Amino acid sequence: VADNRTHAIGIPASGRALVDAPRTCQNSKTMKLTNLLAALLVASAVASARAACPSGTSLDTSIEHFPAAHRIATDDSAYGASEVTVASDFSVHYDTYFKVVRTHCGPHAISGCAPRTYVLTLCGATAPEQYANGTALPADAKHFTIPVEGVALPGSTPVTFLEMLDLRDAIELLDPTYVHSPCLQHLEETEQIDTTKNEYGTTTWAARAAAHEDVQVVFTDSWGTGASGTDKDVVFDATADPRGGGGGP
């Protein structure tokens, strides 16, 4: 899947000092996330969400903010359509100032998968209730303002995706139990990242993720691993893609 990583879940610098971290573990802090929503939300390039969208900024919702060159393309074309479906797993609709991501539970979906809808609205605009053509958005859709500033990872699967996108600093809360990334292990050992174990039968992780003020998205899966039980939860079933590329717009 080709995509220019310029518009979905963007995540800025967290403000933590990494002066004692190995150089290879330092992030550029200039990337946003276009694709983890996915998944959205697993998204792109700027300095920070606060800098890109200062308090009180109003977005012009009458113009196109997702030009074709900034959309996902599922073939070798340089430009993406306003409607695109990837591997029967998810689809993305690009509207003027928001995008709608739907998960479809394709033929390779894991047990427990349920179709979901995520609406990603650019900061400075009010969350939409309908598409530009007047059609109402699903009542059960989850709404997120993008760029997102921080995520929580109750499992190790999304870690690799975030690190490949140079978005390690987006991780505000982590269960480090099965994480093998030397850089994240370093951040844990030097207490530069919040960590809480996601242990079966306990509510410690869910409570921490739900209350964490720097976390806007909690990446869970169709089994509900580490779900916070709030609207922060985003399902990211990387194993649903038979190509091994992950499932996230």
Side-chain angles (χ1 to χ4, degrees):
V1 176
D3 124 32
N4 74 342
R5 294 181 167 66
T6 56
H7 282 293
I9 294 185
I11 304 173
S14 64
R16 287 189 296 267
L18 295 179
V19 293
D20 58 342
R23 177 170 296 277
T24 54
C25 291
Q26 294 182 7
N27 284 354
S28 68
K29 300 186 179 180
T30 58
M31 297 295 292
K32 276 190 195 176
L33 177 63
T34 313
N35 262 6
L36 268 188
L37 278 181
L40 268 201
L41 268 190
V42 152
S44 31
V46 300
S48 83
R50 292 186 181 89
C53 190
S55 176
T57 296
S58 179
L59 186 75
D60 184 351
T61 60
S62 67
I63 64 175
E64 174 59 67
H65 291 276
F66 299 108
H70 293 173
R71 299 169 183 165
I72 290 175
T74 57
D75 50 31
D76 293 330
S77 63
Y79 302 103
S82 60
E83 298 272 355
V84 60
T85 300
V86 180
S88 300
D89 289 330
F90 69 90
S91 63
V92 182
H93 166 82
Y94 294 92
D95 220 285
T96 52
Y97 63 95
F98 63 93
K99 61 173 67 174
V100 180
V101 180
R102 295 175 180 267
T103 58
H104 297 306
C105 300
H108 300 279
I110 65 175
S111 62
C113 181
R116 292 173 172 83
T117 301
Y118 304 97
V119 180
L120 313 182
T121 305
L122 288 171
C123 63
T126 302
E129 297 181 354
Q130 60 187 24
Y131 293 94
N133 65 7
T135 302
L137 289 166
D140 62 350
K142 285 189 177 183
H143 290 259
F144 294 88
T145 296
I146 57 175
V148 162
E149 298 184 39
V151 302
L153 305 181
S156 60
T157 300
V159 168
T160 300
F161 293 86
L162 285 164
E163 292 196 317
M164 288 177 67
L165 292 171
D166 195 21
L167 291 168
R168 191 180 302 111
D169 280 356
I171 304 171
E172 296 288 350
L173 180 64
L174 173 73
D175 176 359
T177 305
Y178 299 107
V179 172
H180 299 287
S181 163
C183 296
L184 283 178
Q185 289 176 347
H186 174 85
L187 294 179
E188 176 196 4
E189 292 168 358
T190 55
E191 299 182 351
Q192 296 181 65
I193 189 171
D194 289 344
T195 59
T196 300
K197 288 188 176 181
N198 174 33
E199 297 178 312
Y200 180 76
T202 69
T203 59
T204 303
W205 166 272
R208 180 72 177 121
H212 203 300
E213 61 182 13
D214 294 324
V215 169
Q216 290 78 50
V217 171
V218 179
F219 283 112
T220 178
D221 55 31
S222 289
W223 295 309
T225 302
S228 68
T230 70
D231 284 340
K232 294 181 179 182
D233 295 336
V234 169
V235 172
F236 178 58
D237 289 331
T239 54
D241 191 337
R243 302 164 301 172

PDB file of all heavy atoms in Angstrom, residues 184-213:
ATOM      1  N   LEU A 184      13.068   1.129  23.500  1.00  0.00           N
ATOM      2  CA  LEU A 184      11.987   1.226  24.470  1.00  0.00           C
ATOM      3  C   LEU A 184      12.403   0.661  25.820  1.00  0.00           C
ATOM      4  O   LEU A 184      12.000   1.164  26.876  1.00  0.00           O
ATOM      5  CB  LEU A 184      10.743   0.508  23.948  1.00  0.00           C
ATOM      6  CG  LEU A 184       9.948   1.255  22.880  1.00  0.00           C
ATOM      7  CD1 LEU A 184       8.760   0.436  22.408  1.00  0.00           C
ATOM      8  CD2 LEU A 184       9.473   2.602  23.396  1.00  0.00           C
ATOM      9  N   GLN A 185      13.221  -0.383  25.794  1.00  0.00           N
ATOM     10  CA  GLN A 185      13.734  -0.920  27.052  1.00  0.00           C
ATOM     11  C   GLN A 185      14.577   0.137  27.766  1.00  0.00           C
ATOM     12  O   GLN A 185      14.517   0.280  28.989  1.00  0.00           O
ATOM     13  CB  GLN A 185      14.562  -2.175  26.784  1.00  0.00           C
ATOM     14  CG  GLN A 185      13.717  -3.369  26.362  1.00  0.00           C
ATOM     15  CD  GLN A 185      14.554  -4.579  25.993  1.00  0.00           C
ATOM     16  OE1 GLN A 185      15.767  -4.478  25.826  1.00  0.00           O
ATOM     17  NE2 GLN A 185      13.908  -5.730  25.862  1.00  0.00           N
ATOM     18  N   HIS A 186      15.336   0.883  26.977  1.00  0.00           N
ATOM     19  CA  HIS A 186      16.151   1.957  27.557  1.00  0.00           C
ATOM     20  C   HIS A 186      15.265   3.040  28.173  1.00  0.00           C
ATOM     21  O   HIS A 186      15.531   3.522  29.282  1.00  0.00           O
ATOM     22  CB  HIS A 186      17.050   2.574  26.483  1.00  0.00           C
ATOM     23  CG  HIS A 186      17.820   3.776  26.961  1.00  0.00           C
ATOM     24  ND1 HIS A 186      19.022   3.676  27.626  1.00  0.00           N
ATOM     25  CD2 HIS A 186      17.535   5.106  26.897  1.00  0.00           C
ATOM     26  CE1 HIS A 186      19.451   4.893  27.948  1.00  0.00           C
ATOM     27  NE2 HIS A 186      18.575   5.783  27.506  1.00  0.00           N
ATOM     28  N   LEU A 187      14.211   3.415  27.469  1.00  0.00           N
ATOM     29  CA  LEU A 187      13.305   4.442  27.970  1.00  0.00           C
ATOM     30  C   LEU A 187      12.611   3.976  29.247  1.00  0.00           C
ATOM     31  O   LEU A 187      12.367   4.769  30.159  1.00  0.00           O
ATOM     32  CB  LEU A 187      12.277   4.811  26.906  1.00  0.00           C
ATOM     33  CG  LEU A 187      12.817   5.499  25.650  1.00  0.00           C
ATOM     34  CD1 LEU A 187      11.682   5.775  24.669  1.00  0.00           C
ATOM     35  CD2 LEU A 187      13.532   6.794  25.998  1.00  0.00           C
ATOM     36  N   GLU A 188      12.295   2.674  29.300  1.00  0.00           N
ATOM     37  CA  GLU A 188      11.680   2.135  30.508  1.00  0.00           C
ATOM     38  C   GLU A 188      12.665   2.169  31.681  1.00  0.00           C
ATOM     39  O   GLU A 188      12.334   2.631  32.783  1.00  0.00           O
ATOM     40  CB  GLU A 188      11.231   0.691  30.269  1.00  0.00           C
ATOM     41  CG  GLU A 188      10.665   0.034  31.519  1.00  0.00           C
ATOM     42  CD  GLU A 188      10.584  -1.476  31.418  1.00  0.00           C
ATOM     43  OE1 GLU A 188      11.043  -2.037  30.405  1.00  0.00           O
ATOM     44  OE2 GLU A 188      10.072  -2.089  32.366  1.00  0.00           O
ATOM     45  N   GLU A 189      13.880   1.706  31.432  1.00  0.00           N
ATOM     46  CA  GLU A 189      14.879   1.628  32.499  1.00  0.00           C
ATOM     47  C   GLU A 189      15.255   3.005  33.046  1.00  0.00           C
ATOM     48  O   GLU A 189      15.580   3.161  34.225  1.00  0.00           O
ATOM     49  CB  GLU A 189      16.130   0.910  31.990  1.00  0.00           C
ATOM     50  CG  GLU A 189      15.891  -0.572  31.703  1.00  0.00           C
ATOM     51  CD  GLU A 189      17.038  -1.212  30.936  1.00  0.00           C
ATOM     52  OE1 GLU A 189      17.994  -0.474  30.595  1.00  0.00           O
ATOM     53  OE2 GLU A 189      16.976  -2.420  30.681  1.00  0.00           O
ATOM     54  N   THR A 190      15.221   4.007  32.184  1.00  0.00           N
ATOM     55  CA  THR A 190      15.579   5.370  32.616  1.00  0.00           C
ATOM     56  C   THR A 190      14.334   6.197  32.977  1.00  0.00           C
ATOM     57  O   THR A 190      14.430   7.405  33.158  1.00  0.00           O
ATOM     58  CB  THR A 190      16.370   6.088  31.512  1.00  0.00           C
ATOM     59  OG1 THR A 190      15.617   6.059  30.284  1.00  0.00           O
ATOM     60  CG2 THR A 190      17.722   5.413  31.284  1.00  0.00           C
ATOM     61  N   GLU A 191      13.193   5.508  33.052  1.00  0.00           N
ATOM     62  CA  GLU A 191      11.940   6.135  33.471  1.00  0.00           C
ATOM     63  C   GLU A 191      11.568   7.339  32.616  1.00  0.00           C
ATOM     64  O   GLU A 191      11.068   8.353  33.113  1.00  0.00           O
ATOM     65  CB  GLU A 191      12.010   6.527  34.950  1.00  0.00           C
ATOM     66  CG  GLU A 191      12.219   5.332  35.872  1.00  0.00           C
ATOM     67  CD  GLU A 191      12.231   5.715  37.343  1.00  0.00           C
ATOM     68  OE1 GLU A 191      12.249   6.923  37.635  1.00  0.00           O
ATOM     69  OE2 GLU A 191      12.209   4.806  38.190  1.00  0.00           O
ATOM     70  N   GLN A 192      11.784   7.211  31.311  1.00  0.00           N
ATOM     71  CA  GLN A 192      11.410   8.274  30.381  1.00  0.00           C
ATOM     72  C   GLN A 192      10.095   7.967  29.668  1.00  0.00           C
ATOM     73  O   GLN A 192       9.678   8.714  28.789  1.00  0.00           O
ATOM     74  CB  GLN A 192      12.531   8.478  29.351  1.00  0.00           C
ATOM     75  CG  GLN A 192      13.833   8.948  29.960  1.00  0.00           C
ATOM     76  CD  GLN A 192      14.890   9.165  28.903  1.00  0.00           C
ATOM     77  OE1 GLN A 192      14.748  10.033  28.051  1.00  0.00           O
ATOM     78  NE2 GLN A 192      15.937   8.376  28.945  1.00  0.00           N
ATOM     79  N   ILE A 193       9.455   6.862  30.041  1.00  0.00           N
ATOM     80  CA  ILE A 193       8.174   6.486  29.452  1.00  0.00           C
ATOM     81  C   ILE A 193       7.336   5.829  30.537  1.00  0.00           C
ATOM     82  O   ILE A 193       7.868   5.128  31.407  1.00  0.00           O
ATOM     83  CB  ILE A 193       8.377   5.536  28.246  1.00  0.00           C
ATOM     84  CG1 ILE A 193       7.055   5.324  27.499  1.00  0.00           C
ATOM     85  CG2 ILE A 193       8.961   4.194  28.681  1.00  0.00           C
ATOM     86  CD1 ILE A 193       7.226   4.583  26.188  1.00  0.00           C
ATOM     87  N   ASP A 194       6.041   6.076  30.543  1.00  0.00           N
ATOM     88  CA  ASP A 194       5.155   5.458  31.528  1.00  0.00           C
ATOM     89  C   ASP A 194       4.925   3.996  31.173  1.00  0.00           C
ATOM     90  O   ASP A 194       4.658   3.670  29.999  1.00  0.00           O
ATOM     91  CB  ASP A 194       3.806   6.180  31.557  1.00  0.00           C
ATOM     92  CG  ASP A 194       3.906   7.557  32.182  1.00  0.00           C
ATOM     93  OD1 ASP A 194       4.916   7.819  32.857  1.00  0.00           O
ATOM     94  OD2 ASP A 194       2.973   8.364  32.006  1.00  0.00           O
ATOM     95  N   THR A 195       5.020   3.120  32.149  1.00  0.00           N
ATOM     96  CA  THR A 195       4.796   1.696  31.915  1.00  0.00           C
ATOM     97  C   THR A 195       3.850   1.127  32.964  1.00  0.00           C
ATOM     98  O   THR A 195       3.902   1.497  34.134  1.00  0.00           O
ATOM     99  CB  THR A 195       6.114   0.897  31.945  1.00  0.00           C
ATOM    100  OG1 THR A 195       6.735   1.068  33.224  1.00  0.00           O
ATOM    101  CG2 THR A 195       7.056   1.353  30.851  1.00  0.00           C
ATOM    102  N   THR A 196       2.983   0.240  32.522  1.00  0.00           N
ATOM    103  CA  THR A 196       2.055  -0.469  33.403  1.00  0.00           C
ATOM    104  C   THR A 196       1.800  -1.833  32.782  1.00  0.00           C
ATOM    105  O   THR A 196       1.580  -1.926  31.574  1.00  0.00           O
ATOM    106  CB  THR A 196       0.714   0.279  33.545  1.00  0.00           C
ATOM    107  OG1 THR A 196       0.943   1.571  34.097  1.00  0.00           O
ATOM    108  CG2 THR A 196      -0.244  -0.486  34.449  1.00  0.00           C
ATOM    109  N   LYS A 197       1.826  -2.872  33.583  1.00  0.00           N
ATOM    110  CA  LYS A 197       1.590  -4.207  33.045  1.00  0.00           C
ATOM    111  C   LYS A 197       0.107  -4.441  32.786  1.00  0.00           C
ATOM    112  O   LYS A 197      -0.746  -4.063  33.583  1.00  0.00           O
ATOM    113  CB  LYS A 197       2.134  -5.269  34.004  1.00  0.00           C
ATOM    114  CG  LYS A 197       3.648  -5.335  34.049  1.00  0.00           C
ATOM    115  CD  LYS A 197       4.128  -6.534  34.856  1.00  0.00           C
ATOM    116  CE  LYS A 197       5.653  -6.645  34.811  1.00  0.00           C
ATOM    117  NZ  LYS A 197       6.145  -7.821  35.560  1.00  0.00           N
ATOM    118  N   ASN A 198      -0.167  -5.057  31.654  1.00  0.00           N
ATOM    119  CA  ASN A 198      -1.526  -5.421  31.289  1.00  0.00           C
ATOM    120  C   ASN A 198      -1.718  -6.893  31.663  1.00  0.00           C
ATOM    121  O   ASN A 198      -1.523  -7.787  30.859  1.00  0.00           O
ATOM    122  CB  ASN A 198      -1.740  -5.217  29.776  1.00  0.00           C
ATOM    123  CG  ASN A 198      -3.100  -5.713  29.326  1.00  0.00           C
ATOM    124  OD1 ASN A 198      -4.073  -5.637  30.065  1.00  0.00           O
ATOM    125  ND2 ASN A 198      -3.158  -6.243  28.106  1.00  0.00           N
ATOM    126  N   GLU A 199      -2.078  -7.133  32.898  1.00  0.00           N
ATOM    127  CA  GLU A 199      -2.177  -8.489  33.415  1.00  0.00           C
ATOM    128  C   GLU A 199      -3.616  -8.993  33.378  1.00  0.00           C
ATOM    129  O   GLU A 199      -4.551  -8.279  33.753  1.00  0.00           O
ATOM    130  CB  GLU A 199      -1.637  -8.552  34.847  1.00  0.00           C
ATOM    131  CG  GLU A 199      -0.152  -8.206  34.940  1.00  0.00           C
ATOM    132  CD  GLU A 199       0.371  -8.230  36.362  1.00  0.00           C
ATOM    133  OE1 GLU A 199      -0.299  -7.634  37.241  1.00  0.00           O
ATOM    134  OE2 GLU A 199       1.430  -8.828  36.589  1.00  0.00           O
ATOM    135  N   TYR A 200      -3.767 -10.233  32.929  1.00  0.00           N
ATOM    136  CA  TYR A 200      -5.095 -10.836  32.802  1.00  0.00           C
ATOM    137  C   TYR A 200      -5.804 -10.865  34.162  1.00  0.00           C
ATOM    138  O   TYR A 200      -5.214 -11.206  35.182  1.00  0.00           O
ATOM    139  CB  TYR A 200      -4.968 -12.262  32.263  1.00  0.00           C
ATOM    140  CG  TYR A 200      -6.296 -12.964  32.103  1.00  0.00           C
ATOM    141  CD1 TYR A 200      -7.134 -12.657  31.034  1.00  0.00           C
ATOM    142  CD2 TYR A 200      -6.712 -13.915  33.036  1.00  0.00           C
ATOM    143  CE1 TYR A 200      -8.361 -13.290  30.874  1.00  0.00           C
ATOM    144  CE2 TYR A 200      -7.934 -14.554  32.893  1.00  0.00           C
ATOM    145  CZ  TYR A 200      -8.756 -14.238  31.820  1.00  0.00           C
ATOM    146  OH  TYR A 200      -9.974 -14.858  31.684  1.00  0.00           O
ATOM    147  N   GLY A 201      -7.061 -10.500  34.142  1.00  0.00           N
ATOM    148  CA  GLY A 201      -7.855 -10.560  35.358  1.00  0.00           C
ATOM    149  C   GLY A 201      -7.746  -9.345  36.255  1.00  0.00           C
ATOM    150  O   GLY A 201      -8.371  -9.301  37.322  1.00  0.00           O
ATOM    151  N   THR A 202      -6.954  -8.351  35.820  1.00  0.00           N
ATOM    152  CA  THR A 202      -6.829  -7.128  36.611  1.00  0.00           C
ATOM    153  C   THR A 202      -7.316  -5.936  35.787  1.00  0.00           C
ATOM    154  O   THR A 202      -7.460  -6.016  34.569  1.00  0.00           O
ATOM    155  CB  THR A 202      -5.371  -6.874  37.033  1.00  0.00           C
ATOM    156  OG1 THR A 202      -4.590  -6.535  35.875  1.00  0.00           O
ATOM    157  CG2 THR A 202      -4.778  -8.114  37.699  1.00  0.00           C
ATOM    158  N   THR A 203      -7.562  -4.824  36.465  1.00  0.00           N
ATOM    159  CA  THR A 203      -8.048  -3.625  35.767  1.00  0.00           C
ATOM    160  C   THR A 203      -7.031  -2.482  35.828  1.00  0.00           C
ATOM    161  O   THR A 203      -7.347  -1.367  35.448  1.00  0.00           O
ATOM    162  CB  THR A 203      -9.370  -3.146  36.394  1.00  0.00           C
ATOM    163  OG1 THR A 203      -9.161  -2.846  37.792  1.00  0.00           O
ATOM    164  CG2 THR A 203     -10.449  -4.219  36.267  1.00  0.00           C
ATOM    165  N   THR A 204      -5.834  -2.788  36.293  1.00  0.00           N
ATOM    166  CA  THR A 204      -4.821  -1.743  36.470  1.00  0.00           C
ATOM    167  C   THR A 204      -4.505  -1.028  35.167  1.00  0.00           C
ATOM    168  O   THR A 204      -4.483   0.202  35.094  1.00  0.00           O
ATOM    169  CB  THR A 204      -3.526  -2.329  37.057  1.00  0.00           C
ATOM    170  OG1 THR A 204      -3.834  -2.987  38.289  1.00  0.00           O
ATOM    171  CG2 THR A 204      -2.495  -1.227  37.308  1.00  0.00           C
ATOM    172  N   TRP A 205      -4.248  -1.824  34.094  1.00  0.00           N
ATOM    173  CA  TRP A 205      -3.899  -1.219  32.804  1.00  0.00           C
ATOM    174  C   TRP A 205      -5.048  -0.377  32.265  1.00  0.00           C
ATOM    175  O   TRP A 205      -4.858   0.770  31.851  1.00  0.00           O
ATOM    176  CB  TRP A 205      -3.519  -2.282  31.779  1.00  0.00           C
ATOM    177  CG  TRP A 205      -3.483  -1.706  30.394  1.00  0.00           C
ATOM    178  CD1 TRP A 205      -4.515  -1.605  29.503  1.00  0.00           C
ATOM    179  CD2 TRP A 205      -2.369  -1.063  29.760  1.00  0.00           C
ATOM    180  NE1 TRP A 205      -4.117  -0.952  28.351  1.00  0.00           N
ATOM    181  CE2 TRP A 205      -2.811  -0.608  28.492  1.00  0.00           C
ATOM    182  CE3 TRP A 205      -1.042  -0.829  30.139  1.00  0.00           C
ATOM    183  CZ2 TRP A 205      -1.973   0.052  27.600  1.00  0.00           C
ATOM    184  CZ3 TRP A 205      -0.214  -0.172  29.247  1.00  0.00           C
ATOM    185  CH2 TRP A 205      -0.672   0.265  27.998  1.00  0.00           C
ATOM    186  N   ALA A 206      -6.252  -0.955  32.243  1.00  0.00           N
ATOM    187  CA  ALA A 206      -7.411  -0.251  31.683  1.00  0.00           C
ATOM    188  C   ALA A 206      -7.653   1.073  32.399  1.00  0.00           C
ATOM    189  O   ALA A 206      -7.918   2.100  31.764  1.00  0.00           O
ATOM    190  CB  ALA A 206      -8.651  -1.135  31.764  1.00  0.00           C
ATOM    191  N   ALA A 207      -7.551   1.052  33.717  1.00  0.00           N
ATOM    192  CA  ALA A 207      -7.775   2.270  34.488  1.00  0.00           C
ATOM    193  C   ALA A 207      -6.712   3.319  34.184  1.00  0.00           C
ATOM    194  O   ALA A 207      -7.015   4.509  34.045  1.00  0.00           O
ATOM    195  CB  ALA A 207      -7.789   1.945  35.980  1.00  0.00           C
ATOM    196  N   ARG A 208      -5.464   2.875  34.062  1.00  0.00           N
ATOM    197  CA  ARG A 208      -4.369   3.808  33.791  1.00  0.00           C
ATOM    198  C   ARG A 208      -4.512   4.408  32.398  1.00  0.00           C
ATOM    199  O   ARG A 208      -4.330   5.613  32.199  1.00  0.00           O
ATOM    200  CB  ARG A 208      -3.033   3.085  33.905  1.00  0.00           C
ATOM    201  CG  ARG A 208      -1.815   3.967  33.649  1.00  0.00           C
ATOM    202  CD  ARG A 208      -1.584   4.923  34.787  1.00  0.00           C
ATOM    203  NE  ARG A 208      -0.381   5.723  34.591  1.00  0.00           N
ATOM    204  CZ  ARG A 208      -0.368   7.049  34.527  1.00  0.00           C
ATOM    205  NH1 ARG A 208      -1.492   7.726  34.643  1.00  0.00           N
ATOM    206  NH2 ARG A 208       0.761   7.701  34.372  1.00  0.00           N
ATOM    207  N   ALA A 209      -4.820   3.566  31.399  1.00  0.00           N
ATOM    208  CA  ALA A 209      -4.960   4.047  30.026  1.00  0.00           C
ATOM    209  C   ALA A 209      -6.141   5.001  29.892  1.00  0.00           C
ATOM    210  O   ALA A 209      -6.062   6.018  29.196  1.00  0.00           O
ATOM    211  CB  ALA A 209      -5.126   2.865  29.075  1.00  0.00           C
ATOM    212  N   ALA A 210      -7.234   4.686  30.567  1.00  0.00           N
ATOM    213  CA  ALA A 210      -8.427   5.525  30.483  1.00  0.00           C
ATOM    214  C   ALA A 210      -8.189   6.891  31.105  1.00  0.00           C
ATOM    215  O   ALA A 210      -8.679   7.909  30.608  1.00  0.00           O
ATOM    216  CB  ALA A 210      -9.601   4.840  31.171  1.00  0.00           C
ATOM    217  N   ALA A 211      -7.411   6.926  32.187  1.00  0.00           N
ATOM    218  CA  ALA A 211      -7.206   8.178  32.913  1.00  0.00           C
ATOM    219  C   ALA A 211      -6.013   8.987  32.427  1.00  0.00           C
ATOM    220  O   ALA A 211      -5.895  10.164  32.750  1.00  0.00           O
ATOM    221  CB  ALA A 211      -7.026   7.875  34.401  1.00  0.00           C
ATOM    222  N   HIS A 212      -5.133   8.371  31.629  1.00  0.00           N
ATOM    223  CA  HIS A 212      -3.893   9.040  31.211  1.00  0.00           C
ATOM    224  C   HIS A 212      -4.214  10.253  30.335  1.00  0.00           C
ATOM    225  O   HIS A 212      -4.747  10.129  29.242  1.00  0.00           O
ATOM    226  CB  HIS A 212      -3.014   8.062  30.442  1.00  0.00           C
ATOM    227  CG  HIS A 212      -1.566   8.431  30.435  1.00  0.00           C
ATOM    228  ND1 HIS A 212      -1.092   9.610  29.908  1.00  0.00           N
ATOM    229  CD2 HIS A 212      -0.472   7.769  30.884  1.00  0.00           C
ATOM    230  CE1 HIS A 212       0.218   9.657  30.023  1.00  0.00           C
ATOM    231  NE2 HIS A 212       0.628   8.551  30.626  1.00  0.00           N
ATOM    232  N   GLU A 213      -3.860  11.432  30.805  1.00  0.00           N
ATOM    233  CA  GLU A 213      -4.236  12.655  30.090  1.00  0.00           C
ATOM    234  C   GLU A 213      -3.458  12.872  28.804  1.00  0.00           C
ATOM    235  O   GLU A 213      -3.876  13.666  27.953  1.00  0.00           O
ATOM    236  CB  GLU A 213      -4.055  13.861  31.001  1.00  0.00           C
ATOM    237  CG  GLU A 213      -2.637  14.090  31.480  1.00  0.00           C
ATOM    238  CD  GLU A 213      -2.510  15.278  32.423  1.00  0.00           C
ATOM    239  OE1 GLU A 213      -3.563  15.767  32.890  1.00  0.00           O
ATOM    240  OE2 GLU A 213      -1.383  15.708  32.697  1.00  0.00           O
TER     241      GLU A 213
END
